Amino acid sequence: GEMLEEHDVSVSGKIQTSTMYRSYRAIIAEEQASIPDSPIPTSNFIVQRDDYVVDELKIEIPELCELFLGMNGRRLYTTLVSVYAYGTLWAFSTVFANAFATHLPLYGAGFYLSYGFYLIVFGSIVVPASCMELREQVTFQVVLAWGRVLMVVLMLGTTVAAYISGENPFRLSDAARHDPSSNESYEHPFFVIDKLYLLIPVAMYANIFHHAIPSLSEPVRDKSQLGSIYATSLFCCFLAYSAMSVVICLYFGPDTRSSSNLNWRAYDQDKVQGKLISFFIVLFPALDV
């Protein structure tokens, strides 16, 4: 028992101080070979200890899948993530090119030529950025984060202001518009069960971010704070999306677009500030992808 305990501590020390990028499987196999007739399963070196500190050794998720699920598990995970990544890239490139080709078409060019041009622009930005470490993108990501905050504030502020003032800067139809000074009841339903099929896939897609957690966690110096960091981030996102969902749906009713930022396309076009707000809210999500 003492020999196994000392050996386990030795393995932990090697994992902490190792600067070679080897997999756990190779380290454990090497150490187990030095203990004759060891009754401890391979995975016990990892699973039954909660005090491992990984310093220089970086363990990727495919390696963990191989360790616990074998090569078939690794291949399955890699295949699923690849399909998800390429599908996401397809969707984002379409959103980017379609938004800019519609709102900022090339002078004298048609939609499809502008669409192709913006696809090239998207690729020229995304491909080099994908080759950079997250540490090298800190400034860029911080700017985008503040842009998201500004967009949420503008969407909520302009909607609440329009509701309180009773004006119609969004040029809504009379059927969709609700006058707060009126005593008439608001007839638009708060929940439509037959549209649930539209919500479920969006909600599922929005919650698929687990594969990105290791990459997002790596630049954080104090790993003990990761729990509070992710909890705070998710809570802030929940508040922002909940507020926008309630306010926007209450105001726009049946005129709410599938991509709600498009409701600002016609926002207050008679004023310069209105055009700037409209331009930012409509195009920033496409740029943010």
mmCIF file of all heavy atoms in Angstrom, residues 119-135:
data_model
loop_
_atom_site.group_PDB
_atom_site.id
_atom_site.type_symbol
_atom_site.label_atom_id
_atom_site.label_comp_id
_atom_site.label_asym_id
_atom_site.label_seq_id
_atom_site.Cartn_x
_atom_site.Cartn_y
_atom_site.Cartn_z
ATOM 1 N N LEU A 119 -17.844 36.976 -49.076
ATOM 2 C CA LEU A 119 -17.364 35.664 -48.641
ATOM 3 C C LEU A 119 -15.838 35.632 -48.605
ATOM 4 O O LEU A 119 -15.223 35.072 -47.687
ATOM 5 C CB LEU A 119 -17.880 34.560 -49.575
ATOM 6 C CG LEU A 119 -19.314 34.064 -49.373
ATOM 7 C CD1 LEU A 119 -19.643 32.991 -50.400
ATOM 8 C CD2 LEU A 119 -19.493 33.506 -47.958
ATOM 9 N N ILE A 120 -15.219 36.233 -49.610
ATOM 10 C CA ILE A 120 -13.755 36.310 -49.646
ATOM 11 C C ILE A 120 -13.242 37.169 -48.488
ATOM 12 O O ILE A 120 -12.248 36.824 -47.834
ATOM 13 C CB ILE A 120 -13.283 36.881 -50.998
ATOM 14 C CG1 ILE A 120 -13.673 35.928 -52.134
ATOM 15 C CG2 ILE A 120 -11.782 37.118 -50.989
ATOM 16 C CD1 ILE A 120 -13.373 36.464 -53.513
ATOM 17 N N VAL A 121 -13.931 38.273 -48.223
ATOM 18 C CA VAL A 121 -13.547 39.129 -47.100
ATOM 19 C C VAL A 121 -13.649 38.358 -45.785
ATOM 20 O O VAL A 121 -12.750 38.413 -44.930
ATOM 21 C CB VAL A 121 -14.433 40.392 -47.048
ATOM 22 C CG1 VAL A 121 -14.160 41.187 -45.773
ATOM 23 C CG2 VAL A 121 -14.195 41.253 -48.276
ATOM 24 N N PHE A 122 -14.730 37.626 -45.625
ATOM 25 C CA PHE A 122 -14.930 36.824 -44.413
ATOM 26 C C PHE A 122 -13.798 35.818 -44.238
ATOM 27 O O PHE A 122 -13.233 35.670 -43.143
ATOM 28 C CB PHE A 122 -16.281 36.110 -44.493
ATOM 29 C CG PHE A 122 -16.597 35.263 -43.290
ATOM 30 C CD1 PHE A 122 -17.118 35.834 -42.145
ATOM 31 C CD2 PHE A 122 -16.385 33.894 -43.323
ATOM 32 C CE1 PHE A 122 -17.414 35.052 -41.032
ATOM 33 C CE2 PHE A 122 -16.675 33.107 -42.216
ATOM 34 C CZ PHE A 122 -17.192 33.682 -41.075
ATOM 35 N N GLY A 123 -13.464 35.115 -45.316
ATOM 36 C CA GLY A 123 -12.397 34.127 -45.239
ATOM 37 C C GLY A 123 -11.047 34.743 -44.935
ATOM 38 O O GLY A 123 -10.244 34.170 -44.185
ATOM 39 N N SER A 124 -10.796 35.909 -45.511
ATOM 40 C CA SER A 124 -9.501 36.570 -45.292
ATOM 41 C C SER A 124 -9.331 37.036 -43.844
ATOM 42 O O SER A 124 -8.206 37.249 -43.385
ATOM 43 C CB SER A 124 -9.351 37.766 -46.235
ATOM 44 O OG SER A 124 -10.313 38.766 -45.948
ATOM 45 N N ILE A 125 -10.447 37.183 -43.127
ATOM 46 C CA ILE A 125 -10.380 37.577 -41.718
ATOM 47 C C ILE A 125 -10.368 36.352 -40.808
ATOM 48 O O ILE A 125 -9.561 36.251 -39.875
ATOM 49 C CB ILE A 125 -11.568 38.488 -41.345
ATOM 50 C CG1 ILE A 125 -11.526 39.782 -42.162
ATOM 51 C CG2 ILE A 125 -11.573 38.797 -39.848
ATOM 52 C CD1 ILE A 125 -12.739 40.665 -41.970
ATOM 53 N N VAL A 126 -11.255 35.404 -41.091
ATOM 54 C CA VAL A 126 -11.446 34.269 -40.196
ATOM 55 C C VAL A 126 -10.268 33.289 -40.242
ATOM 56 O O VAL A 126 -9.828 32.788 -39.199
ATOM 57 C CB VAL A 126 -12.759 33.539 -40.540
ATOM 58 C CG1 VAL A 126 -12.864 32.222 -39.780
ATOM 59 C CG2 VAL A 126 -13.945 34.428 -40.234
ATOM 60 N N VAL A 127 -9.747 33.011 -41.430
ATOM 61 C CA VAL A 127 -8.668 32.020 -41.539
ATOM 62 C C VAL A 127 -7.419 32.455 -40.769
ATOM 63 O O VAL A 127 -6.890 31.679 -39.965
ATOM 64 C CB VAL A 127 -8.348 31.731 -43.020
ATOM 65 C CG1 VAL A 127 -7.113 30.844 -43.128
ATOM 66 C CG2 VAL A 127 -9.537 31.061 -43.701
ATOM 67 N N PRO A 128 -6.914 33.674 -40.953
ATOM 68 C CA PRO A 128 -5.755 34.077 -40.135
ATOM 69 C C PRO A 128 -6.075 34.119 -38.640
ATOM 70 O O PRO A 128 -5.239 33.735 -37.816
ATOM 71 C CB PRO A 128 -5.422 35.480 -40.657
ATOM 72 C CG PRO A 128 -6.000 35.525 -42.030
ATOM 73 C CD PRO A 128 -7.236 34.697 -41.960
ATOM 74 N N ALA A 129 -7.293 34.566 -38.287
ATOM 75 C CA ALA A 129 -7.661 34.629 -36.869
ATOM 76 C C ALA A 129 -7.719 33.241 -36.256
ATOM 77 O O ALA A 129 -7.402 33.058 -35.067
ATOM 78 C CB ALA A 129 -9.004 35.341 -36.704
ATOM 79 N N SER A 130 -8.110 32.239 -37.044
ATOM 80 C CA SER A 130 -8.190 30.869 -36.544
ATOM 81 C C SER A 130 -6.814 30.291 -36.243
ATOM 82 O O SER A 130 -6.694 29.335 -35.470
ATOM 83 C CB SER A 130 -8.911 29.977 -37.564
ATOM 84 O OG SER A 130 -10.215 30.451 -37.819
ATOM 85 N N CYS A 131 -5.790 30.830 -36.861
ATOM 86 C CA CYS A 131 -4.420 30.356 -36.641
ATOM 87 C C CYS A 131 -3.758 31.050 -35.461
ATOM 88 O O CYS A 131 -2.607 30.744 -35.130
ATOM 89 C CB CYS A 131 -3.582 30.578 -37.904
ATOM 90 S SG CYS A 131 -4.190 29.686 -39.360
ATOM 91 N N MET A 132 -4.450 31.978 -34.836
ATOM 92 C CA MET A 132 -3.895 32.726 -33.703
ATOM 93 C C MET A 132 -4.367 32.113 -32.398
ATOM 94 O O MET A 132 -5.451 31.538 -32.312
ATOM 95 C CB MET A 132 -4.330 34.195 -33.775
ATOM 96 C CG MET A 132 -3.860 34.944 -34.999
ATOM 97 S SD MET A 132 -4.646 36.575 -35.142
ATOM 98 C CE MET A 132 -4.106 37.357 -33.610
ATOM 99 N N GLU A 133 -3.527 32.216 -31.374
ATOM 100 C CA GLU A 133 -3.919 31.800 -30.041
ATOM 101 C C GLU A 133 -4.876 32.839 -29.451
ATOM 102 O O GLU A 133 -4.886 34.001 -29.848
ATOM 103 C CB GLU A 133 -2.692 31.670 -29.133
ATOM 104 C CG GLU A 133 -1.709 30.598 -29.577
ATOM 105 C CD GLU A 133 -2.251 29.191 -29.383
ATOM 106 O OE1 GLU A 133 -3.217 29.044 -28.600
ATOM 107 O OE2 GLU A 133 -1.724 28.265 -30.010
ATOM 108 N N LEU A 134 -5.690 32.397 -28.488
ATOM 109 C CA LEU A 134 -6.634 33.316 -27.861
ATOM 110 C C LEU A 134 -5.920 34.471 -27.159
ATOM 111 O O LEU A 134 -6.446 35.581 -27.089
ATOM 112 C CB LEU A 134 -7.508 32.562 -26.858
ATOM 113 C CG LEU A 134 -8.620 31.678 -27.439
ATOM 114 C CD1 LEU A 134 -9.376 30.990 -26.328
ATOM 115 C CD2 LEU A 134 -9.568 32.497 -28.294
ATOM 116 N N ARG A 135 -4.728 34.208 -26.636
ATOM 117 C CA ARG A 135 -3.976 35.272 -25.978
ATOM 118 C C ARG A 135 -3.657 36.403 -26.956
ATOM 119 O O ARG A 135 -3.525 37.565 -26.564
ATOM 120 C CB ARG A 135 -2.678 34.719 -25.401
ATOM 121 C CG ARG A 135 -2.868 33.727 -24.266
ATOM 122 C CD ARG A 135 -1.538 33.225 -23.764
ATOM 123 N NE ARG A 135 -1.689 32.194 -22.756
ATOM 124 C CZ ARG A 135 -1.838 32.418 -21.464
ATOM 125 N NH1 ARG A 135 -1.863 33.666 -21.037
ATOM 126 N NH2 ARG A 135 -1.975 31.427 -20.599
#
